[in-house]
Amino acid sequence: MPLLSEIVEYTDQYLRIREIEDWPNALNGLQIENSDRITRIGAAVDVSTRVLSEAAKKDVDLLLVHHGLFWPGLQPIIRSLHRQLKLAFENDVALYSAHLPLDLHPVVGNNAQLAAAVGLKSTSPFFEEKGQLVGLKARASIPCDELVRNLEKSLGGKVRVFKSGPKKTKTIGIITGGAGSEIYRVAEDNIDTFITGEAPHWAAVAAEELSMNLLLGGHYSTETFGVKALAAHLSERFKLRWEFFDCPTGL
């Protein structure tokens, strides 16, 4: 039976947790420890009372998430935070969070997994954030309608489409999550079709001005890939069962 400390040490190195700068509230790595006993892994995009309750019911003792406990910033341990910590402590659930390190990982990362899912085979990193290239771009000639169909199949739902670019793509950029507000910076890399999760209203206007196709797959939906892939990888390496807790936000 693997120990939590072993899994954390391996995962920190695998994701380069200590090397990759992130927003302070991400607090990448182990956020809650347990008694060091791990028998089952759970994965979720966000930590929440619902996710922790499901983890407890399924005897999960290591929960992997993309967005951890401290996204709202410094706060007193009352109400929801107290409830979440109580659930974790009483059920011996350890919590591990990985944000940018999981987004940009070349194998289990959100961008790499989504690119593979839509059939993009040759990609290269682009778009610098916090000293790292966090997105992926690919030179690919694909009818935009076909790319949208592939994306919807991969995400299991509808994609918001703004067809302001070419009918057949030349350079596709992928940054999962909420990168729509970076559309002008993305355009500097000669991206004609931009896939992300969500965007502000003005980004749709910007897409038209930039002659760019903007495909919004949903912040949540585009970020389910990384935690699933990481859990599967750790499951295979440490011979543990795993499952995904699906709690979509609709955004």
Side-chain angles (χ1 to χ4, degrees):
M1 185 182 300
L3 299 176
L4 173 65
S5 52
E6 295 177 72
I7 297 174
V8 168
E9 181 180 8
Y10 172 80
T11 309
D12 282 355
Q13 293 178 0
Y14 183 66
L15 297 180
R16 298 192 297 130
I17 289 291
R18 305 305 166 212
E19 300 172 36
I20 296 173
E21 184 183 357
D22 208 329
W23 285 270
N25 293 354
L27 193 62
N28 292 314
L30 186 65
Q31 293 192 345
I32 301 176
E33 66 179 2
N34 73 348
S35 61
D36 217 19
R37 172 180 174 272
I38 303 297
T39 60
R40 191 181 183 96
I41 296 172
V45 176
D46 309 280
V47 65
S48 67
T49 299
R50 180 160 45 133
V51 167
L52 285 165
S53 297
E54 285 299 309
K57 287 178 187 175
K58 299 294 181 64
D59 295 321
V60 163
D61 32 36
L62 173 57
L63 181 62
L64 308 172
V65 298
H66 188 48
H67 304 125
L69 279 171
F70 306 107
W71 275 106
L74 190 65
Q75 56 184 306
I77 302 175
I78 59 174
R79 303 188 185 94
S80 61
L81 183 56
H82 181 273
R83 182 169 61 244
Q84 291 166 4
L85 290 172
K86 188 170 185 284
L87 276 165
F89 294 154
E90 288 183 347
N91 294 281
D92 204 30
V93 178
L95 178 68
Y96 189 99
S97 180
H99 184 237
L100 280 185
L102 188 57
D103 282 324
L104 59 81
H105 193 275
V107 178
V108 301
N110 282 313
N111 294 310
Q113 290 285 315
L114 181 55
V118 298
L120 301 179
K121 300 184 183 303
S122 181
T123 60
S124 59
F126 91 113
F127 193 81
E128 184 175 343
E129 189 68 72
K130 300 289 184 180
Q132 301 284 334
L133 297 177
V134 301
L136 289 178
K137 65 179 179 179
R139 296 191 181 281
S141 180
I142 305 171
C144 186
D145 288 341
E146 180 182 335
L147 179 62
V148 170
R149 287 193 297 270
N150 291 345
L151 186 57
E152 290 182 336
K153 183 178 179 181
S154 300
L155 297 175
K158 282 292 184 181
V159 171
R160 194 76 183 271
V161 180
F162 301 89
K163 293 182 183 177
S164 300
K167 292 184 177 180
K168 185 170 281 191
T169 68
K170 293 181 181 178
T171 307
I172 301 168
I174 298 178
I175 306 174
T176 58
S181 60
E182 303 292 354
I183 189 167
Y184 283 109
R185 286 179 59 200
V186 167
E188 292 173 5
D189 275 79
N190 297 315
I191 302 297
D192 59 62
T193 302
F194 180 30
I195 299 172
T196 187
E198 62 177 327
H201 169 81
W202 60 262
V205 179
E208 183 176 358
E209 297 296 330
L210 294 164
S211 299
M212 178 188 289
N213 297 314
L214 177 62
L215 312 182
L216 305 178
H219 194 136
Y220 176 88
S221 294
T222 60
E223 294 192 329
T224 60
F225 294 88
V227 287
K228 289 180 181 179
L230 178 61
H233 175 77
L234 295 177
S235 170
E236 182 177 355
R237 182 174 181 87
F238 292 99
K239 311 303 179 191
L240 294 165
R241 293 176 298 163
W242 76 278
E243 66 179 283
F244 177 66
F245 299 115
D246 192 17
C247 296
T249 61
L251 298 176

